[in-house]
Amino acid sequence: MRLGRIASPDGVAFVSIEGDGDTAVTREIAEHPFGTPTFTGRQWPLADVRLLAPILASKVVCIGKNYAAHAAEMGGAPPEEPVIFIKPNTSIIGPQAPILRPPSSDRVDFEGELAVVIGQPCRDVAAAKAKDVILGYTVANDVTARDQQAADVQWTRGKGYDTFCPLGPWIETSLDPSDLEIRTELDGEVKQRSRTSLMLHDVGAIVEWISRIMTLLPGDVILTGTPEGIGPMSAGQQVSVTVEGIGTLTNPVADRK
Ligand code: MG
């Protein structure tokens, strides 16, 4: 099932998205999408609504350097244990919403990533049980002010600006995340192309690691790291991240006033 969140003429709602292309329809879910959703009976053509970020997260937990080729392009060996950091939930935006480059940074980069969406409160989850606590998977762009990431001891500023966490276009609940193509295009030019099978720590290991540190709540999002090929974005450009089996997340880039 594809789960999303929309702005319709009647307000904001969680929906399931059914069908493809011009005939795709959004069906309104009563209350929240966790567990077995119930439907209100209202529906709208996908073409008539605006997709928002597909989930409301209390936190976005991210893995750094989870692909060896990306660790190498950043000038180091990958860490033995996962390195994690948090993006504030205020950095989340949906498809087609502009990524805003702050005037304080001279270099704002894309990082295409597979994102995990948690479906229930959990802690101390064994890797083999991770799929029991996962609602589904979506596409993320871990937007990074690279100059500030390099200048600061930690990454809160460089990773935390408003609009620096595009998510979407929806959550795919039926997906094996172990070997999917992940691709990032800037103005249609392929910049990143890799496979999730090249992650150093797979989804199960990541959920186990993070849930030993902090309780994960329904809607929390985990960004699983970016492959090689990261690079800067300029105002006026458009960035798209595609994960096989989910879809494409596209955002324009603009300068924040
Ligand atoms: Mg990243």
Side-chain angles (χ1 to χ4, degrees):
M1 188 188 301
R2 285 181 287 172
L3 297 170
R5 207 163 54 94
I6 62 163
S8 77
D10 299 314
V12 172
F14 287 106
V15 293
S16 72
I17 296 122
E18 296 169 16
D20 288 298
D22 294 343
T23 59
V25 166
T26 63
R27 295 178 63 210
E28 185 181 43
I29 291 170
E31 299 180 359
H32 61 73
F34 304 107
T36 304
T38 55
F39 293 91
T40 66
R42 298 201 299 177
Q43 63 179 49
W44 302 270
L46 180 59
D48 291 354
V49 301
R50 182 162 58 93
L51 287 170
L52 306 173
I55 202 68
L56 303 168
S58 80
K59 55 187 172 292
V60 180
V61 190
C62 311
I63 310 291
K65 298 183 179 173
N66 198 27
Y67 291 78
H70 172 61
E73 77 180 346
M74 297 298 286
E80 264 182 40
E81 293 185 321
V83 169
I84 64 169
F85 58 95
I86 284 182
K87 290 170 92 83
N89 58 7
T90 42
S91 65
I92 295 172
I93 57 172
Q96 300 297 340
I99 295 165
L100 298 176
R101 293 163 32 97
S104 56
S105 174
D106 292 324
R107 179 170 164 163
V108 174
D109 282 9
F110 55 82
E111 292 189 0
E113 308 199 8
L114 170 73
V116 178
V117 181
I118 297 295
Q120 62 185 68
C122 59
R123 56 177 296 201
D124 295 334
V125 180
K129 299 278 189 186
K131 62 178 179 304
D132 297 346
V133 303
I134 292 172
L135 175 67
Y137 301 87
T138 190
V139 183
N141 191 340
D142 177 18
V143 178
T144 303
R146 194 70 67 195
D147 49 352
Q148 295 177 7
Q149 182 191 30
D152 293 355
V153 176
Q154 43 67 44
W155 304 347
T156 304
R157 181 170 65 136
K159 299 277 193 178
Y161 284 94
D162 287 1
T163 77
F164 272 26
C165 190
L167 293 177
W170 42 63
I171 298 163
E172 176 56 65
T173 62
S174 305
L175 192 69
D176 175 354
S178 60
D179 186 20
L180 304 172
E181 186 185 76
I182 178 164
R183 187 174 75 247
T184 305
E185 297 179 18
L186 189 64
D187 284 347
E189 183 182 338
V190 176
K191 297 290 190 181
Q192 296 185 286
R193 176 174 268 162
S194 186
R195 300 197 70 82
T196 57
S197 53
L198 295 173
M199 284 184 193
L200 299 169
H201 307 281
D202 66 15
V203 167
I206 290 168
V207 170
E208 178 173 308
W209 177 262
I210 295 171
S211 70
R212 279 185 183 160
I213 300 163
M214 64 190 80
T215 297
L216 294 169
L217 298 176
D220 280 355
V221 174
I222 298 172
L223 270 50
T224 58
T226 198
E228 73 276 20
I230 54 101
M233 303 177 289
S234 303
Q237 291 190 301
Q238 178 166 280
V239 62
S240 293
V241 183
T242 301
V243 176
E244 180 183 1
I246 304 175
T248 299
L249 168 68
T250 298
N251 298 89
V253 182
D255 284 331
R256 182 160 134 190
K257 300 286 186 282

